Amino acid sequence: MQPDEIEALFTRSDATYLCARWGRPQAPVVFGVDDATLSVVKGAFEAVAQLAGVEIAETDPELGANIMVFFFEDWSELTETPNMDRLVPDLGPLVARLEAQEANQYRFFRFDPDGGIKAAFVFIRMDAHLRDVPAETLALSQAVQTILLWSDTAFLGQSPLARTEDGATLLKPEIAQVIRAAYDPILPVAATDASHALRLSARIGALQ
């Protein structure tokens, strides 16, 4: 990918640049699915973490679980879940906004003092569209979108995934390269200057 293409992946809708990676092992937990789907979701997160070189742990010493993935049918279920308002800031207005937008997914992150990702919360409303998406595809998409803090517009026009001729779903090679480069120890855990995209491009070249 060219530097300007990489820069676009981390330039937000307000024109600010922000790229952050995990600064600690991931400890995922999944709610609202059966055992078969649970193994698929956890498998996807483990595969993407392995690509990035991020350790998967049973628990986070500070938070217990630091990736929480929720599957449900209606946004109103969030306001009915005990203590959810402790996890999600301004839960009521957020749910109202997501309902008005007819959104089917939402993610938000918390950060350590150095800017690295501390926790990620993923909410997936299984509407008619997502019910037609294979569990493997949905899980891989969410794992990719939580391994880095991408722009809020990064994947609006294009998916980070691709489908092979035999129907398998894979991470696009160019996105995999960006993930690997972003986790190179020579780069900072978080960056707010667009020149970081040039450094990512250089690391991609060095890692090939």
Side-chain angles (χ1 to χ4, degrees), residues 9-102:
L9 293 173
F10 302 103
T11 301
R12 309 187 68 78
S13 54
D14 63 2
T16 60
Y17 183 94
L18 177 57
C19 175
R21 68 183 187 222
W22 284 82
R24 58 174 67 196
Q26 294 181 338
V29 62
V30 184
F31 301 93
V33 297
D34 57 24
D35 289 344
T37 306
L38 173 63
S39 65
V40 170
V41 176
K42 285 202 167 183
F45 275 87
E46 289 169 359
V48 175
Q50 184 177 22
L51 168 70
V54 176
E55 180 184 349
I56 292 288
E58 288 295 325
T59 59
D60 179 274
E62 181 182 353
L63 303 171
N66 58 24
I67 297 180
M68 295 187 180
V69 185
F70 299 86
F71 289 84
F72 48 88
E73 298 290 333
D74 192 273
W75 288 113
S76 63
E77 295 177 44
L78 295 186
T79 58
E80 299 165 2
T81 302
N83 300 319
M84 184 62 73
D85 56 342
R86 297 183 181 180
L87 288 177
V88 185
D90 301 319
L91 180 62
L94 173 63
V95 166
R97 186 169 75 250
L98 293 170
E99 287 177 332
Q101 295 171 349
E102 298 184 352

Side-chain angles (χ1 to χ4, degrees), residues 18-24 110-118 187-192:
L18 177 57
C19 175
R21 68 183 187 222
W22 284 82
R24 58 174 67 196
R110 291 180 179 170
F111 302 92
D112 281 317
D114 63 0
I117 299 173
K118 175 180 182 178
L187 294 180
V189 70
T192 57

